[in-house]
Amino acid sequence: MNFRVGFGFDVHQLVDGHPFFLGGVKLEADKGAFGHSDADVLLHALCDALLGAANLRDIGVHFKNTDDRWKGISSLILLEETMKLLTEKGYKVGNVDCTVCLEAPKVNPHIPAMQKAIAAKLGIDEDAVSIKATTNEKLGFIGREEGVTASAVALIYK
């Protein structure tokens, strides 16, 4: 079997009154991530991890922020398109491990819904989707609630 591992990272600015999508789930929040698509930082990091593992470059190559096709689009669709690219190269996903870093809102209550949404798009069991959340202990732009980051690791195989 051919195993590969990829790493992804993403960051988005938080903006007052903007919707906040995380892991394919809309969260109730005073601020939301801003970007060309729905700015789902967790799914963007995950797409990058998957693409990197398959040596398919990164999310910006496939879903340019200058292309109106992707404007405002759900990042679940970007994840679906990423999986099509992996499938074309003969890969399947083994498991993924993701971490999101932000001060608010609390993420833990939403993790089961995120796992379900992601597992469905990846074609794997929810148990193979790990999502963790942490704060930045009030330090830096994350601590000031100006932004959110996410990182992800993905194992793929043929």
Side-chain angles (χ1 to χ4, degrees):
M1 235 188 250
N2 180 9
F3 292 97
R4 291 182 171 205
V5 175
F7 174 77
F9 175 82
D10 197 32
V11 60
H12 280 278
Q13 179 183 12
L14 292 174
V15 176
D16 286 329
H18 201 73
F20 192 22
F21 293 92
L22 192 63
V25 175
K26 185 175 182 182
L27 305 185
E28 292 299 319
D30 294 333
K31 296 179 178 186
F34 181 77
H36 185 70
S37 66
D38 66 2
D40 189 323
V41 67
L42 192 153
L43 293 185
H44 293 182
L46 181 54
C47 286
D48 268 348
L50 293 163
L51 291 167
N55 195 22
L56 289 169
R57 304 207 38 207
D58 63 55
I59 193 170
V61 170
H62 298 280
F63 314 111
K64 294 180 179 9
N65 64 5
T66 55
D67 188 336
D68 284 341
R69 286 183 301 164
W70 312 120
K71 180 127 179 89
I73 198 163
S74 167
S75 293
L76 286 169
I77 294 172
L78 301 182
L79 185 59
E80 192 174 286
E81 293 297 315
T82 296
M83 282 306 300
K84 287 179 186 176
L85 293 169
L86 265 67
T87 301
E88 287 172 9
K89 285 191 79 172
Y91 287 107
K92 294 182 179 185
V93 176
N95 73 298
V96 299
D97 183 21
C98 310
T99 302
V100 61
C101 185
L102 75 163
E103 296 297 321
K106 292 294 183 193
V107 174
N108 282 325
H110 307 283
I111 288 176
M114 293 178 194
Q115 289 173 302
K116 184 175 184 174
I118 292 169
K121 294 298 179 187
L122 299 183
I124 59 177
D125 291 336
E126 291 172 34
D127 186 56
V129 179
S130 170
I131 301 172
K132 304 174 302 294
T134 189
T135 69
N136 217 42
E137 300 294 334
K138 302 287 184 187
L139 299 173
F141 72 88
I142 295 171
R144 292 187 301 271
E145 298 185 30
E146 297 170 356
V148 56
T149 65
S151 57
V153 177
L155 173 71
I156 64 172
Y157 66 94
K158 282 187 182 181

